[in-house]
């Protein structure tokens, strides 16, 4: 579990702001007529940023679809321990495409975008992850409801219900979370039309592997890169993800807001 003591003191106010946001988010969902959402409000899975995120030279926010098998838990608490122990469920971290790709890509972007082959194994990155000596990033899912089904496919009915609950009320909780996290780069995972819930978008370029935008989330400007889902089968670490992401970042000339 990530305790407050693991965060540097300057990050604690943001933790408090996120806690207040999540409290309002849960209260809103609990009072909705959609029973699929209201019945699960106490089991919502919230997320945010790992320790030392705000001390990184580039603040990277990954945005996924949904949590799996962890209803009622905090996403970051579960994964922080998993990264440190190099084990995702019954799989070694190095062989879990979703999480190892996040660690590799974040490390590469934070260390000058070197060749993929020179990036340490995910298990090595994980040893110091979320500490002053290591890297850190933020992560959020657009759905705060956990997929508890046995099949390894996205539960789009539940994702839609959670997403709509967060964006069709007086507040857009998803945009507000992005604004609190103040990312430099947002890397999304094939979210389709749901990208709009992150803020106002201005298209920069479409390529076969990455579509890049300028994103404005309640006044915070960032570079957003929409990619394949990080667990998509048959994709190349370098050709499908790392190389086009690095190219898109370089093409932006580092002009996104710090």
């Amino acid at each position: 579990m990530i305790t407050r003591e693991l965060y540097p003191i300057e990050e604690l106010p943001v933790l408090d702001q996120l806690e207040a946001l999540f409290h309002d988010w849960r209260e809103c969902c609990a009072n909705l007529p959609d029973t699929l959402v209201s019945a699960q409000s106490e089991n919502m899975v919230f997320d945010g940023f790992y320790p030392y995120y705000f001390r990184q030279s580039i603040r990277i926010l990954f945005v996924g679809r949904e949590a799996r098998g962890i209803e009622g838990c905090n996403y970051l608490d579960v994964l922080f321990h998993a990264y440190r122990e190099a084990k995702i469920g019954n799989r070694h971290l190095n062989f879990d495409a979703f999480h190892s790709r996040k660690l590799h890509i974040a490390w590469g972007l934070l260390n000058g975008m070197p060749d993929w082959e020179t990036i340490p194994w995910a298990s090595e990155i994980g040893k110091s992850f979320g500490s002053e000596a290591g890297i850190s990033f933020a992560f959020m899912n657009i759905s705060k409801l956990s997929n508890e089904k046995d099949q390894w496919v996205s539960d789009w009915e539940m994702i839609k219900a959670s997403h709509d609950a967060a964006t069709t009320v007086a507040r857009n909780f998803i945009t507000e979370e992005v604004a609190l996290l103040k990312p430099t780069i947002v890397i999304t995972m094939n979210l389709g039309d749901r990208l709009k819930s992150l803020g106002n978008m201005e298209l920069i370029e479409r390529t076969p592997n990455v579509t890049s935008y300028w994103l404005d989330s309640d006044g915070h400007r960032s570079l957003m890169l929409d990619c394949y889902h990080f667990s998509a089968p048959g994709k190349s670490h370098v050709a499908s993800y790392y190389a086009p992401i690095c190219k898109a970042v370089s093409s932006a000339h580092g002009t996104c807001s710090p």
Side-chain angles (χ1 to χ4, degrees), residues 159-225:
I159 292 171
K160 182 181 186 303
S162 178
H163 171 270
D164 290 354
T167 57
T168 57
V169 292
R171 298 168 63 177
N172 183 328
F173 291 104
I174 295 175
T175 298
E176 288 188 42
E177 183 174 1
V178 177
L180 285 176
L181 293 171
K182 293 181 171 59
T184 313
I185 298 172
V186 180
I187 299 177
T188 59
M189 304 182 191
N190 192 17
L191 301 184
D193 288 343
R194 293 167 183 84
L195 283 175
K196 298 174 184 177
S197 63
L198 300 175
N200 295 320
M201 305 183 305
E202 178 186 342
L203 178 66
I204 299 172
E205 183 181 17
R206 295 187 189 276
T207 70
N209 298 294
V210 174
T211 301
S212 53
Y213 305 85
W214 291 119
L215 176 70
D216 185 292
S217 306
D218 286 349
H220 176 77
R221 181 175 166 86
S222 55
L223 174 66
M224 182 168 72
L225 310 175

Side-chain angles (χ1 to χ4, degrees), residues 25 37 142-145 157-166:
W25 201 330
V37 176
I142 57 168
S143 170
K144 304 305 187 195
L145 301 180
E157 180 185 10
M158 188 169 286
I159 292 171
K160 182 181 186 303
S162 178
H163 171 270
D164 290 354

Side-chain angles (χ1 to χ4, degrees), residues 88-108:
I88 307 292
N90 58 4
R91 298 185 304 282
H92 193 280
L93 175 60
N94 292 340
F95 301 104
D96 185 287
F98 183 81
H99 294 288
S100 65
R101 279 172 176 159
K102 283 195 295 181
L103 289 164
H104 280 99
I105 290 169
W107 194 97

